[in-house]
Amino acid sequence: MNHLNESSQNRQQIFTVTRLNSAVRMILEQDLGLVWLTGELSNLAMPSSGHWYFSLKDISAQVRCAMFKGNNRRVSFRPQDGMQVLVQARVSLYEPRGDYQLIIESMQPAGDGMLALRFEELKRRLDAEGLFDEARKRPLPREPRAVGLVTSATGAALHDILTVLRRRAPDLPVFIYPTQVQGSAAIGQIVAAIQLANRRAEVDVLIVGRGGGSLEDLWCFNEEAVARAISRSAIPVVSAVGHEVDVTISDFAADLRAPTPSAAAELVAPDRSARAQRLAHLQQRLAQAMARRQTAASHGFALLQKRLDHQDPKRRLEQQSQRLDELASRLQQLLASRLHQGERRLANLELRLQAQSPEKLLAAGKRRHQLAEERLHSLMAKRQSLAGHRLAMLSARLDGVSPLATLGRGYSITRTQGGEVISRASQVSPGQSLVTTLAEGSLRVRVDCIGD
């Protein structure tokens, strides 16, 4: 009985190939989710459907990838074979072939992309530690006794800040803590300058920053050491790095982010519009809070979208679209093969037609007729010779048995008047008239008597 139950359970676990591939795809998509990876583009194909198919490889392995046109429209560069890229993808399975593959969501060149990935990883880790919590943020003093600047002593940012401070608060003391603001050496110098300002305690607010530049130029403000030095500062810090569109880790760690160095100077310097400045500060904090709430809501939406994607027919449509591209490619290959075969067959038929040309057939017929005529004359001569030879032989044989030849040797033939040949004496009677044929001429005789 137990054996029967075990056999029944085993039969319940028998999968069809379709069911197995579907189950494996769900496991891959649910367990791994979105992944980041970098590699070299290879075998890039861009069919008329608008989807991209390629392989992503490194020195010892490769994986097949598909990027559907809804996502590749956002790619800002033209990908080519051999290009190093950074991609965000979800791991999946192409069920019709059972091929493991990646569905690419985004793609960027590997250089800036790796920096952006490092930025996101550090931001996520420090945010998880609570380093960016709003509760840690301190308000800027309304009437600072002095302002400290952590920036390059020769940069345009320093000139812009001093210009605004002289205009808004010409009597406000300013302390400059000069540092490099680009390159690996800048990291330690920025940290040391912030620590120096805290030890001296001679300012009420610090502006830390520099002018605009590339992501690589601004990278020292995305380093963990700088972010932790800003968060540990007992003096409120305003981050003023680059232009308004530039965002760094220092912006999140600081008590306040200014879109530009000039804007930072306006935020820290008191003037007659203090209330308006306070309102702007509150508005900015509200915007930051809303941005964080929006980020959290976006994250929740992404999770819901991910759950929806697993049940969305869009995934099936993507696979069917990929299958359609594959079948279209096979159809083109088949049509090309059929066309090639047809051309070869037409060439063969043309050769055969040329071989069956009436002129060639007529010439061949004339040659055959001539040969046949020659053979006929030859055969007729041979037959005539053979017939003459045989006739001579038969004539000789006939002469040998001819009665005329017998008559020529002195014999004669006797017949009755009716023409009956007389071979016995009993055939005649005395007084009967007979005809005797000699070799030359004949005799008419009468029988006198009949002997024994």
Side-chain angles (χ1 to χ4, degrees), residues 80-268:
Q80 296 179 354
D81 284 345
M83 182 178 290
Q84 291 288 333
V85 295
L86 175 73
V87 300
Q88 186 183 40
R90 50 186 171 85
V91 183
S92 184
L93 183 86
Y94 182 44
E95 294 182 24
R97 284 201 308 262
D99 286 349
Y100 148 73
Q101 67 176 4
L102 298 181
I103 304 301
I104 307 300
E105 301 287 347
S106 65
M107 178 190 297
Q108 51 190 311
D112 290 346
M114 292 302 295
L115 291 178
L117 183 59
R118 286 175 55 191
F119 176 93
E120 291 296 333
E121 290 176 346
L122 180 60
K123 176 186 173 185
R124 185 164 48 249
R125 181 161 55 84
L126 296 182
D127 190 27
E129 291 181 16
L131 203 69
F132 306 151
D133 286 352
E134 193 63 27
R136 296 172 56 91
K137 310 294 183 180
R138 292 158 298 182
L140 302 183
R142 294 186 178 182
E143 299 290 337
R145 292 179 296 109
V147 175
L149 306 180
V150 178
T151 188
S152 171
T154 59
L158 177 61
H159 177 268
D160 294 341
I161 293 173
L162 292 177
T163 299
V164 174
L165 291 178
R166 280 195 296 267
R167 174 172 54 82
R168 293 174 61 87
D171 299 329
L172 182 64
V174 178
F175 293 84
I176 300 174
Y177 306 94
T179 69
Q180 293 186 34
V181 290
Q182 183 174 335
S184 58
I187 302 170
Q189 293 185 20
I190 295 172
V191 172
I194 295 173
Q195 293 173 346
L196 178 61
N198 277 268
R199 286 197 304 270
R200 291 182 177 179
E202 54 194 1
V203 298
D204 297 323
V205 62
L206 278 175
I207 296 177
V208 179
R210 57 156 286 164
S214 66
L215 179 61
E216 187 175 358
D217 294 338
L218 305 180
W219 191 254
C220 58
F221 294 95
N222 289 321
E223 291 291 342
E224 181 176 356
V226 174
R228 292 194 182 279
I230 292 174
S231 67
R232 285 195 293 263
S233 174
I235 303 171
V237 177
V238 177
S239 177
V241 181
H243 303 300
E244 186 171 359
V245 295
D246 299 319
V247 180
T248 66
I249 298 295
S250 297
D251 296 336
F252 296 101
D255 297 286
L256 186 65
R257 174 189 179 264
T260 63
S262 298
E266 294 192 13
L267 290 172
V268 301

Side-chain angles (χ1 to χ4, degrees), residues 431-449:
Q432 185 177 353
S433 293
L434 300 174
V435 178
T436 299
T437 302
L438 305 175
E440 293 181 2
S442 62
L443 300 176
R444 188 176 297 273
V445 298
R446 182 182 298 273
V447 178
D448 292 330
C449 63

Side-chain angles (χ1 to χ4, degrees), residues 416-438:
T416 64
Q417 292 291 332
E420 181 181 358
V421 176
I422 303 299
S423 58
R424 294 184 305 277
S426 60
Q427 290 181 257
V428 298
S429 58
Q432 185 177 353
S433 293
L434 300 174
V435 178
T436 299
T437 302
L438 305 175

Side-chain angles (χ1 to χ4, degrees), residues 35-55:
V35 296
W36 287 92
L37 70 159
T38 183
E40 178 183 335
L41 289 177
S42 176
N43 300 321
L44 178 63
M46 299 179 177
S48 58
S49 63
H51 308 317
W52 296 350
Y53 304 104
F54 53 90
S55 295

